[in-house]
Amino acid sequence: MPRIQTTEDKRLEEARLRKKHWKRWGPYLSERQWGTVREDYSPGGTAWEFFPHDHARSRTYRWGEDGIGGISDRHQMMCFGLALWNGRDAILKERLFGLTGNQGNHGEDVKEYYFYLDSTPTHSYMRMLYKYPQAGFPYERLVEESQRRGRGQPEFELLDTGVFSENRYFDIFVEYAKADVEDLLIRITAVNRGPEAAALHVLPQLWFRNTWSWGKDLRRPVARRATSAPGCNCAELQHWQYGKRWLLCAGQPELLFTENETNNARIFGGKNRSPYVKDAFHEYVIYGNKAAVNPEQMGTKVAAYYPLKIDAGQSVTLKLRLTDLEPLEGMQTGAGTVGGFVSPGVQERAEGVPGTNDFGGGYDDLFVTRQKEAEEFYASRIPKELSEDAKAVMRQSFSGMLWSKQFYHYDVRTWLEGDPGGPKPPEERWHGRNKEWTHLYNDDIISMPDKWEYPWYAAWDLAFHCIPLALVDPDFAKEQLILLLREWYMHPNGQLPAYEWSFSDVNPPVHAWAAWRVYKIERRMRGVADRGFLEKVFHKLLLNFTWWVNRQEFAELVRTV
């Protein structure tokens, strides 16, 4: 048992013992899925060009999803993220923009301002900030100026374009508080920092990762409009893995429905399988195309549409809830009453959990409670002798690490062979990137170097990540180290996969050092030495070290011949 028993520590222990799956939902949505090796089916391995940012709003991803300030379940079957429009942008802002490795004068480079502000290890409370300009987003100018500059010149940043002049931007705060394992409260606060009133269209979106279009699993989830509860509109979500969930949207916004399906007509000049496609909300909001969304109010992607006008210096707060509490049965029926039934499994709402019709005091109180628990947790982890500034830096650093967890899915053999429901990949793939790693199967939550610039794990980086992660969540740190040593990750020759651009690249064997450091950190924190962990990793680490030594000796021999 942990030595320090904060409320968050108790959640971590429940998760470790699998009593309650507190980590099932988290910030597992990537900041960028386009331009990745997983989505690249080109003959020459030109990942950036095969799936560019311009395709992302209209083209379905095969291996994962991305979004702004988003969350998902640990297998990324259900995803939630933010879409925004300031009335001037050419496209709906659904994902972060940046330069590809071939566009930036210093390589790939995200051109947005966003900050991970807080998170507990179980993600019982999370908060982030995105800064959205009120002027049209300068996509073309960022690309053109960056390509004009050489490597010896500084990067051309979003701030340099002048779109933040006179503070004409919105601060968009996104907060999550877990009422329970499957009950997430979502609070979005938009603040107008500019000198004048400004329009802001906010579309919190929930969608299902497309697992049905590839010819291997035809089961199709569905979102449909449900009976409205007092003070909110509701979408009922049905997924074959999770059963029923509901998205409750306070303020009774318009609910828009479409399919998470590729707009083949726009991207490839072909025919669409459905008239309702991935970029429907872009068409509806920006161009007023009413026919773009499904009038039957069902699909695999749903948005709550909030068109706002915010005065200078003022803010607007939107409240939503993603829950397994059935809205009409989970209503608050009287002061002090617990009552209410849920679906599936749990028989009653826990004490302190607001009713599904409570978007007022009870809803806000839960955020206060989770914030206090986060304060209590970090007070137990951060040295008391540090200055207040240093404590704030350390806490936000931990939060950044925790927000940088991501669902990573990549089955190399399927990627090489192609899917029954898609075109056959070019033969060149069998002589190109990662061809020696056909055993590799990734379907896990992994700590990323950066969820936009490097939205893929790297063995070297991950080992270093585990050191600070062990200070707040030793179990997750150990799980990460063990994961890369499993037979569906580690190569039969003992090599660990480096990173998706080339799994065969050589990294020094730092895993052994990381495992020893994590062991010692946990022993100091919990007063318990997990020698079973060391026993579990020891033999695989010997294999990895043997591979490294033999490879280095061979390389030295080649150099001397």
Side-chain angles (χ1 to χ4, degrees):
M1 292 290 290
R3 182 178 61 188
I4 304 168
Q5 279 291 292
T6 67
T7 302
E8 180 65 10
D9 281 305
K10 292 173 183 175
R11 291 193 192 98
L12 286 169
E13 187 67 6
E14 288 178 332
R16 184 181 73 83
L17 297 174
R18 298 180 181 273
K19 289 182 177 180
K20 296 189 76 171
H21 300 293
W22 283 107
K23 298 179 186 177
R24 177 173 289 159
W25 289 86
Y28 309 142
L29 206 62
S30 178
E31 304 290 4
R32 175 174 64 84
Q33 184 69 14
W34 60 273
T36 60
V37 167
R38 285 153 286 158
E39 302 297 339
D40 175 27
Y41 285 79
S42 65
T46 52
W48 289 113
E49 290 73 26
F50 182 79
F51 204 133
H53 175 267
D54 183 56
H55 284 198
R57 70 177 182 274
S58 306
R59 186 170 163 187
T60 303
Y61 296 124
R62 170 62 178 88
W63 296 99
E65 294 287 347
D66 58 19
I68 297 174
I71 59 170
S72 77
D73 64 276
R74 65 177 298 107
H75 293 290
Q76 208 172 84
M77 296 297 183
M78 301 170 68
C79 309
F80 177 90
L82 201 58
L84 304 162
W85 190 52
N86 58 16
R88 294 183 172 91
D89 281 350
I91 64 174
L92 196 64
K93 174 65 73 172
E94 296 178 279
R95 54 190 51 79
L96 301 176
F97 174 73
L99 305 180
T100 72
N102 301 322
Q103 290 174 337
N105 60 321
H106 295 161
E108 62 266 40
D109 185 19
V110 63
K111 297 298 186 183
E112 305 266 16
Y113 298 117
Y114 58 104
F115 306 88
Y116 301 132
L117 301 178
D118 210 354
S119 180
T120 57
T122 66
H123 312 295
S124 56
Y125 178 70
M126 298 193 298
R127 187 169 184 254
M128 68 89 67
L129 167 64
Y130 172 66
K131 291 182 176 288
Y132 185 43
Q134 294 172 6
F137 199 90
Y139 294 104
E140 293 181 3
R141 189 180 174 200
L142 286 165
V143 173
E144 291 169 359
E145 177 62 23
S146 297
Q147 290 188 314
R148 189 185 65 79
R149 297 188 180 194
R151 291 192 180 276
Q153 294 177 281
E155 295 171 1
F156 185 61
E157 304 294 359
L158 181 59
L159 198 62
D160 299 329
T161 67
V163 295
F164 288 98
S165 296
E166 299 180 297
N167 290 331
R168 294 180 183 270
Y169 68 92
F170 297 102
D171 272 336
I172 311 293
F173 294 92
V174 184
E175 291 179 279
Y176 299 91
K178 290 184 180 179
D180 208 334
V181 173
E182 302 287 351
D183 192 2
L184 289 83
L185 278 55
I186 306 163
R187 192 163 64 181
I188 301 162
T189 302
V191 186
N192 181 358
R193 300 300 188 190
E196 300 170 351
L200 177 65
H201 301 252
V202 183
L203 292 90
Q205 302 182 124
L206 189 139
W207 68 99
F208 300 104
R209 178 165 62 89
N210 189 322
T211 57
W212 56 87
S213 292
W214 319 110
K216 293 193 171 184
D217 188 344
L218 301 181
R219 291 176 292 182
R220 192 185 188 96
V222 64
R224 58 171 62 89
R225 187 183 179 94
T227 303
S228 296
C232 71
N233 282 337
C234 309
E236 181 183 286
L237 317 166
Q238 180 78 45
H239 194 279
W240 50 266
Q241 180 159 320
Y242 291 115
K244 283 188 179 182
R245 299 290 184 275
W246 288 267
L247 180 65
L248 315 181
C249 312
Q252 297 183 313
E254 182 180 8
L255 297 184
L256 309 177
F257 292 82
T258 189
E259 301 292 342
N260 186 14
E261 296 273 8
T262 296
N263 186 344
N264 286 294
R266 175 183 179 255
I267 300 295
F268 304 114
K271 291 184 178 180
N272 291 332
R273 289 191 288 187
S274 166
Y276 313 113
V277 289
K278 183 177 177 180
D279 56 14
F281 305 153
H282 164 88
E283 289 288 319
Y284 184 90
V285 173
I286 296 179
Y287 298 110
N289 182 2
K290 306 291 186 184
V293 299
N294 191 342
E296 296 183 4
Q297 297 189 301
M298 61 186 299
T300 49
K301 183 178 179 183
V302 56
Y305 181 27
Y306 295 91
L308 307 173
K309 184 92 167 183
I310 307 178
D311 290 334
Q314 300 302 303
S315 66
V316 173
T317 298
L318 308 177
K319 299 178 180 181
L320 301 96
R321 187 169 181 171
L322 177 59
T323 182
D324 63 349
L325 278 166
E326 187 167 358
L328 297 180
E329 292 185 357
M331 290 172 59
Q332 191 77 36
T333 56
T337 302
V338 176
F341 294 95
V342 301
S343 172
V346 183
Q347 291 302 305
E348 288 189 335
R349 283 190 288 113
E351 187 173 356
V353 174
T356 55
N357 58 328
D358 181 359
F359 284 97
Y363 183 98
D364 294 331
D365 285 347
L366 188 74
F367 275 91
V368 172
T369 298
R370 295 294 178 261
Q371 289 166 346
K372 287 181 179 177
E373 291 166 354
E375 295 281 349
E376 177 190 36
F377 175 76
Y378 280 110
S380 74
R381 293 303 196 272
I382 297 175
K384 293 178 174 55
E385 62 271 17
L386 295 181
S387 69
E388 292 305 311
D389 280 351
K391 288 178 181 177
V393 169
M394 192 170 180
R395 178 168 173 175
Q396 192 170 349
S397 299
F398 281 132
S399 299
M401 293 292 297
L402 294 168
W403 266 93
S404 294
K405 296 179 184 179
Q406 180 186 310
F407 170 75
Y408 187 90
H409 187 28
Y410 190 14
D411 173 0
V412 173
R413 179 173 291 280
T414 296
W415 179 77
L416 289 168
E417 294 176 346
D419 294 299
K424 185 179 179 181
E427 288 298 322
E428 293 92 330
R429 295 171 70 83
W430 289 99
H431 307 285
R433 182 177 289 133
N434 298 331
K435 63 182 182 297
E436 306 93 348
W437 291 80
T438 53
H439 74 285
L440 195 69
Y441 183 85
N442 304 156
D443 187 355
D444 298 284
I445 303 301
I446 309 179
S447 177
M448 298 291 122
D450 183 292
K451 287 169 71 176
W452 194 96
E453 294 191 5
Y454 309 104
W456 29 259
Y457 67 88
W460 165 280
D461 300 69
L462 187 60
F464 290 110
H465 294 183
C466 289
I467 308 306
L469 286 169
L471 294 169
V472 292
D473 190 355
D475 295 317
F476 180 71
K478 290 186 293 184
E479 288 164 5
Q480 293 287 281
L481 291 169
I482 291 169
L483 185 63
L484 260 66
L485 299 172
R486 299 306 301 263
E487 54 272 26
W488 52 89
Y489 277 74
M490 189 178 197
H491 197 281
N493 66 12
Q495 184 177 10
L496 298 183
Y499 44 85
E500 69 173 25
W501 287 89
S502 178
F503 285 126
S504 293
D505 270 12
V506 178
N507 285 170
V510 296
H511 248 63
W513 168 80
W516 179 241
R517 291 287 294 121
V518 168
Y519 167 80
K520 292 200 295 183
I521 290 169
E522 182 185 30
R523 183 179 61 184
R524 185 179 74 247
M525 285 176 50
R526 289 180 166 171
V528 176
D530 189 357
R531 293 184 180 178
F533 162 67
L534 294 181
E535 292 174 2
K536 185 174 289 188
V537 299
F538 181 72
H539 289 290
K540 290 291 187 73
L541 290 171
L542 280 180
L543 288 173
N544 180 236
F545 184 72
T546 302
W547 166 83
W548 164 260
V549 170
N550 289 339
R551 188 198 178 284
Q552 290 305 98
E553 288 182 351
F554 176 75
E556 184 62 30
L557 179 64
V558 169
R559 280 195 296 270
T560 57
V561 170

